[in-house]
Amino acid sequence: EALGLFTGIGLSEAKARETLRNGALSALLRRAVLQARSALGPALDKATGTLLYNAAARLKDPKHLGFLVGYIARKEILTDLQLSGTVRPRPPPGPGPGRGVPLFIPALSPAALEYVRSHPLEPLDVADFERACGVGVCITPEQIEEAVEAVISKHRAELLAERYHFNMGLLMGEARNQLRWADGKSVKNEVDLQVLHLLGPKTEADLEKKPKVAKARLAPAEKQKVAVVENGDMGTETQSLLEQLQGEALKFHKPGENYKTEGYVVTPNTMALLKQHLAITGGQVRTRFPPEPNGILHIGHAKAINFNFGYAKANGGVCFLRYDDTNPEKEEEKYFTAIREMVEWLGYQPYAVTHASDYFDQLYAWALELIRRGQAYVCHQKVEEIKGHNPPPSPWRDRPVEESLLLFEDMRKGKFGEGEATLRMKLVMEDGKMDPVAYRVKFTPHHRTGDKWCIYPTYDYTHCLCDSIEHITHSLCTKEFQARRSSYFWLCNALDVYCPVQWEYGRLNLLYTVVSKRKIIRLVETGAVRDWDDPRLFTLTALRRRGFPPEAINNFCARVGVTVAQATMEPHLLEACAREVLNEQAPRAMAVLEPLKVTITNFPAPKALEVLVPNFPADESRGFHKVPFHQTIYIEETDFREEADKGYKRLAPGQPVGLRHTGYIITVQNVIKDVSGRVIELEVTCTKSDVAEKPKAFIHWVSAPLACEVRLYERLFLHKNPEDPSEVPGGFLSDLNPDSLRVVHNALVDSSVHSAQPFDKFQFERLGYFSVDPDSEKGKMVFNRTVTLKEDPGKA
């Protein structure tokens, strides 16, 4: 019956079936169609059907739906322009001036849908509503002609100068500003006619493409490159992070205007609560970052941190760091500390650090109130019975309020074992899940409240109420929480407390890794990685240990953008962001990973020389450091060959090379080998570079160096999606890369780095970017390779 009802208003069968899968929308649309049919008869034209569908789909609030349907049925709202404030873009028909300019007119006044959202309390002012959406307005051809004539007169000089290269869309827009409810096609035809009358037919010059004007370039400090993510790759356009996060850019509601958000549920107390909310916050944007303290933050959390803290900052607001500590079995103090460290490491300072447990007393009091209002009950179904989306209804759903109050008190006093009783809320969520649990029994001491509680609230119960207590304006969460939005609004309204707005955005994922806490724990337990901060992981502590600067992570998040779509990125894109930052931040030094001893037989001085090496060769104003230059130096084994192949430019017999920064060129005189025939030393002579022929290459070297250990990292997993059974049938532990870590125990580094501290970063010339590891000890420094100097072309 419903399928026939929906196809009867012009929906395709596929669209009608899709609508039926959305229970809330299909119920509203059915109600709208039946109301319209009672006024117009069973046969509804497609235009009316489209308006009915748009009203039901966009309003999502049954309170004023009947009011709008009445206007549609009486043919007083005839166009989508009147209903939603816009017309759909479409190219104008036929040839003529402005061909290709879309007929898209922005809303100039609220129109019907926006008007009812902005006036949630009944009754509506009918006269004001009708003025807002053009009911009864009739625009004559004469009015259209006069309005277009005035606009063309205003731009006459520019039109005569630019002719058909002038932006005709500007004429359309200004004409429609004066003619809010005029037919767009009629206005367009009049613009075409009057432009043709002024300019005459197009000439060959008019048909030539207008040359593009180069855009002014922004200074590096003023811009970030924002990602357009397609097929796992990333193109860029210039836009600052703050520009992305400004409220207007994201079309978020303004503080106190929560009721204008699509789907927001308005109650008789909403406006009073919002007024009180504004009095408390002063109209300030408030966000929160709410991690569970049961693991270390990962790269996906970096996007959440940037989004929550960044959106608040971009709009002059504040952001709370709130720990969602409602599951004491999995929470440890080390996670609380590490989470705050990572937030601050990324450059953000919380407005306040709070905990869900700060509000346990208030949450419990509200749970009692929810029971008293008949909106919650104590249930004895087992966990396995209520799993999934179609569990059997609870036989205790309608138990008396007083009985649930007594049983809930017994739960609090520990009279029920774990799993024997829960407190459930009476609602159906967007994904069909029925009566989510609000409280459960757990006989586990809490790290902050000790043994005070043996019942703990769930996320579905806690999150929205903590947002309400802290007067959060924008509750930003990832897309998987969209199914919780209905319960979010329902619970705040069921208790008559301030209701924030939940907004969802797409997660950030990386290929070639796992970020699940459970799976990282398995990696640690099996010895595949050392701990949560193993530099092969993509936890934030691991990225810090490997040497990634926080700015690189923030820039990466900015490039991914704040779109609703989930972004799954290649690790090399994050590495590219690291190179950009480290190139500006990491001073140069020289290190040799596989040393080969070189003795200069004609060393030009009786003792060591001091060589000045620029910290940043591209900008010598940033200073120099001194490096000793002795008769004995060490070079990379790979920088010498006994026979130079074609294309080989480094050191070989008969092929000298320059030593970077010294002003000297060395030439091989003697090759010394051990009993196995391996080259262990070179004897060379040196010549000043200003009197010798320029060599084919300059190589790095060290002299009187410091011994160090260097850890070289590659991807931890062999496949892009190690968790995908179709790609890795044996599970992620079977996909480990045996060459993900190579430790060089006897590397050498120049003495300029002797005072470096953990996490200090350097560019080892010709090798890559390296960071001092916390394992470093006096006399034996340890370096982690962050990234190579250039992306490995062999990477997928």
Side-chain angles (χ1 to χ4, degrees):
E1 180 266 341
L3 184 65
L5 197 68
F6 294 168
T7 55
I9 63 169
L11 295 185
S12 67
E13 184 173 336
K15 185 68 175 176
R17 291 187 183 279
E18 179 187 330
T19 302
L20 284 170
R21 286 195 290 271
N22 184 330
L25 172 58
S26 59
L28 289 177
L29 182 57
R30 186 176 187 279
R31 173 177 155 184
V33 173
L34 292 175
Q35 180 184 338
R37 285 176 63 170
S38 68
L40 298 173
L44 298 178
D45 61 87
K46 187 172 182 179
T48 300
T50 300
L51 289 174
L52 293 174
Y53 181 86
N54 289 342
R58 297 179 195 172
L59 190 58
K60 293 186 179 178
D61 182 356
K63 186 179 299 180
H64 293 306
L65 181 63
F67 178 82
L68 287 181
V69 171
Y71 275 89
I72 294 170
R74 294 193 297 272
K75 302 292 186 181
E76 292 175 323
I77 290 179
L78 291 163
T79 66
D80 199 49
L81 180 63
Q82 288 179 283
L83 182 67
S84 63
T86 60
V87 294
R88 298 188 182 281
R90 57 185 174 87
R99 174 72 181 145
V101 177
L103 291 179
F104 178 84
I105 309 301
L108 304 175
S109 64
L113 286 169
E114 182 60 26
Y115 187 94
V116 297
R117 288 192 197 112
S118 302
H119 298 75
L121 297 183
E122 297 180 297
L124 292 172
D125 183 329
V126 172
D128 191 41
F129 170 81
E130 291 183 350
R131 276 194 301 274
C133 47
V135 172
V137 175
C138 179
I139 304 295
T140 65
E142 290 78 14
Q143 288 174 301
I144 294 174
E145 183 180 349
E146 288 173 8
V148 172
E149 190 175 305
V151 171
I152 287 182
S153 176
K154 174 183 172 183
H155 294 283
R156 181 182 177 86
E158 300 101 302
L159 274 163
L160 290 171
E162 296 184 37
R163 290 182 57 78
Y164 288 97
H165 289 139
F166 184 82
N167 178 10
M168 301 301 171
L170 179 64
L171 305 180
M172 278 288 295
E174 291 191 11
R176 288 299 295 272
N177 277 337
Q178 300 178 38
L179 304 167
R180 168 66 171 135
W181 305 112
D183 175 65
K185 185 176 178 181
S186 299
V187 175
K188 180 66 177 64
N189 288 340
E190 185 63 31
V191 168
D192 287 352
L193 186 65
Q194 292 199 29
V195 168
L196 184 64
H197 179 73
L198 176 66
L199 303 179
K202 287 184 179 180
T203 64
E204 286 188 15
D206 294 325
L207 295 172
E208 292 177 1
K209 286 186 177 180
K210 188 176 181 180
K212 290 185 178 179
V213 179
K215 293 182 180 178
R217 298 187 66 181
L218 296 175
E222 297 175 304
K223 69 180 183 180
Q224 294 291 344
K225 291 180 178 178
V226 181
V228 180
V229 181
E230 293 181 359
N231 300 323
D233 213 340
M234 183 163 59
T236 57
E237 61 185 36
T238 297
Q239 190 180 47
S240 75
L241 178 62
L242 293 187
E243 283 174 334
Q244 292 182 72
L245 296 174
Q246 284 169 352
E248 287 302 313
L250 291 175
K251 296 183 172 58
F252 283 173
H253 69 283
K254 294 178 181 177
E257 295 186 356
N258 306 30
Y259 58 88
K260 291 187 176 181
T261 304
E262 187 173 333
Y264 189 81
V265 180
V266 177
T267 73
N269 292 331
T270 294
M271 302 312 285
L273 290 167
L274 289 174
K275 185 177 180 182
Q276 183 185 49
H277 160 73
L278 285 173
I280 291 169
T281 65
Q284 186 179 48
V285 166
R286 287 189 172 198
T287 61
R288 82 290 166 272
F289 173 58
E292 294 180 67
N294 61 357
I296 299 296
L297 302 182
H298 55 70
I299 188 68
H301 291 112
K303 179 178 179 180
I305 292 168
N306 272 276
F307 198 3
N308 278 284
F309 283 91
Y311 180 71
K313 182 178 179 180
N315 294 282
V318 297
C319 183
F320 291 72
L321 169 59
R322 186 206 309 143
Y323 295 106
D324 182 17
D325 57 342
T326 58
N327 193 357
E329 292 172 324
K330 298 182 180 180
E331 294 158 7
E332 295 182 41
E333 188 60 37
K334 67 177 182 181
Y335 297 138
F336 287 82
T337 304
I339 286 169
R340 181 164 185 176
E341 278 183 3
M342 290 301 97
V343 168
E344 294 177 349
W345 177 64
L346 288 177
Y348 297 107
Q349 283 296 326
Y351 169 70
V353 178
T354 60
H355 308 75
S357 57
D358 296 339
Y359 311 121
F360 276 179
D361 289 323
Q362 178 63 74
L363 295 172
Y364 178 74
W366 274 336
L368 293 173
E369 181 61 24
L370 202 63
I371 298 171
R372 292 189 193 104
R373 295 185 178 206
Q375 302 286 13
Y377 63 96
V378 172
C379 175
H380 305 288
Q381 284 179 297
K382 303 298 181 186
V383 173
E384 52 273 15
E385 291 181 74
I386 60 176
K387 274 186 177 178
H389 294 296
N390 294 297
S394 171
W396 294 279
R397 196 173 200 266
D398 296 318
R399 77 188 326 160
V401 166
E402 290 303 321
E403 187 177 320
S404 280
L405 286 170
L406 290 171
L407 291 170
F408 189 50
E409 180 67 10
D410 286 345
M411 285 173 61
R412 189 184 70 81
K413 290 179 177 178
K415 294 183 179 180
F416 287 102
E418 293 189 11
E420 290 182 358
T422 58
L423 182 70
R424 296 176 67 182
M425 299 176 281
K426 291 185 180 180
L427 79 148
V428 180
M429 299 171 73
E430 287 185 30
D431 60 358
K433 185 177 179 182
M434 187 172 181
D435 293 0
V437 172
Y439 271 86
R440 70 277 203 219
V441 177
K442 283 183 180 290
F443 291 106
T444 304
H446 191 277
H447 69 287
R448 298 186 74 243
T449 61
D451 294 325
K452 179 178 178 180
W453 299 94
C454 65
I455 56 170
Y456 293 98
T458 62
Y459 175 92
D460 288 322
Y461 179 77
T462 306
H463 192 74
C464 61
L465 295 180
C466 288
D467 281 352
S468 178
I469 291 168
E470 293 175 351
H471 282 272
I472 300 304
T473 58
H474 300 77
S475 183
L476 308 174
C477 58
T478 47
K479 199 69 174 157
E480 67 264 30
F481 290 99
Q482 185 168 347
R484 264 77 173 254
R485 192 197 294 183
S486 56
S487 67
Y488 187 107
F489 292 158
W490 176 89
L491 183 52
C492 290
N493 290 329
L495 289 167
D496 278 327
V497 297
Y498 161 70
C499 183
V501 179
Q502 175 176 305
W503 292 96
E504 300 89 16
Y505 61 92
R507 287 173 65 100
L508 168 59
N509 295 324
L510 275 187
L511 298 172
Y512 295 101
T513 191
V514 297
V515 294
S516 155
K517 295 164 188 170
R518 180 177 58 83
K519 290 177 180 175
I520 291 176
I521 289 171
R522 289 283 293 126
L523 289 171
V524 174
E525 289 173 345
T526 58
V529 297
R530 292 174 56 183
D531 208 337
W532 290 82
D533 64 348
D534 187 296
R536 290 167 290 180
L537 296 173
F538 284 88
T539 61
L540 294 184
T541 50
L543 290 170
R544 178 179 64 171
R545 185 166 189 168
R546 184 159 169 171
F548 279 79
E551 298 89 338
I553 294 171
N554 293 342
N555 291 352
F556 177 65
C557 292
R559 291 186 181 189
V560 172
V562 291
T563 58
V564 174
Q566 176 173 298
T568 301
M569 311 303 295
E570 292 272 5
H572 70 78
L573 300 171
L574 175 59
E575 292 169 2
C577 292
R579 287 188 190 93
E580 288 177 8
V581 174
L582 289 170
N583 186 52
E584 298 295 323
Q585 290 186 357
R588 278 39 170 181
M590 291 190 288
V592 172
L593 302 188
E594 304 290 345
L596 174 61
K597 183 179 178 181
V598 176
T599 301
I600 304 173
T601 58
N602 65 334
F603 192 73
K607 60 179 182 178
L609 301 174
E610 277 191 340
V611 174
L612 284 179
V613 178
N615 295 326
F616 296 90
D619 183 4
E620 294 189 351
S621 67
R622 298 178 70 180
F624 293 79
H625 59 273
K626 293 178 180 179
V627 174
F629 179 36
H630 287 260
Q631 181 181 16
T632 299
I633 65 172
Y634 297 87
I635 67 171
E636 291 284 358
E637 277 191 349
T638 53
D639 280 340
F640 171 74
R641 287 185 187 175
E642 288 191 80
E643 294 184 11
D645 300 332
K646 185 179 179 181
Y648 182 77
K649 297 181 179 180
R650 285 164 284 169
L651 186 62
Q655 181 168 291
V657 295
L659 296 178
R660 292 173 68 86
H661 310 297
T662 65
Y664 285 94
I665 295 167
I666 59 173
T667 304
V668 176
Q669 301 298 320
N670 188 29
V671 179
I672 302 171
K673 301 180 181 181
D674 63 14
V675 292
S676 67
R678 178 174 172 266
V679 176
I680 58 172
E681 185 180 351
L682 300 176
E683 290 180 346
V684 302
T685 56
C686 68
T687 310
K688 290 283 287 184
S689 58
D690 55 2
V691 297
E693 185 179 341
K694 184 178 179 181
K696 292 182 178 180
F698 286 82
I699 62 173
H700 65 281
W701 53 275
V702 292
S703 185
L706 304 175
C708 65
E709 178 182 301
V710 174
R711 297 169 182 171
L712 306 175
Y713 298 99
E714 299 293 342
R715 289 172 179 159
L716 182 59
F717 295 99
L718 298 170
H719 290 82
K720 285 189 173 184
N721 301 292
E723 298 169 277
D724 185 347
S726 63
E727 201 169 326
V728 185
F732 72 102
L733 288 176
S734 71
D735 195 47
L736 293 168
N737 176 8
D739 301 317
S740 63
L741 170 62
R742 181 167 74 92
V743 179
V744 181
H745 294 284
N746 299 307
L748 303 173
V749 62
D750 73 49
S751 57
S752 67
V753 305
H754 75 279
S755 60
Q757 299 300 308
F759 306 117
D760 284 354
K761 297 162 183 60
F762 299 92
Q763 184 198 107
F764 289 168
E765 296 194 32
R766 299 177 64 221
L767 297 180
Y769 294 100
F770 292 77
S771 178
V772 181
D773 189 86
D775 286 346
S776 296
E777 299 175 352
K778 188 174 181 180
K780 188 63 177 285
M781 301 185 77
V782 179
F783 290 91
N784 295 318
R785 185 173 66 190
T786 308
V787 288
T788 55
L789 288 180
K790 293 182 179 179
E791 182 187 333
D792 182 353
K795 284 186 178 178

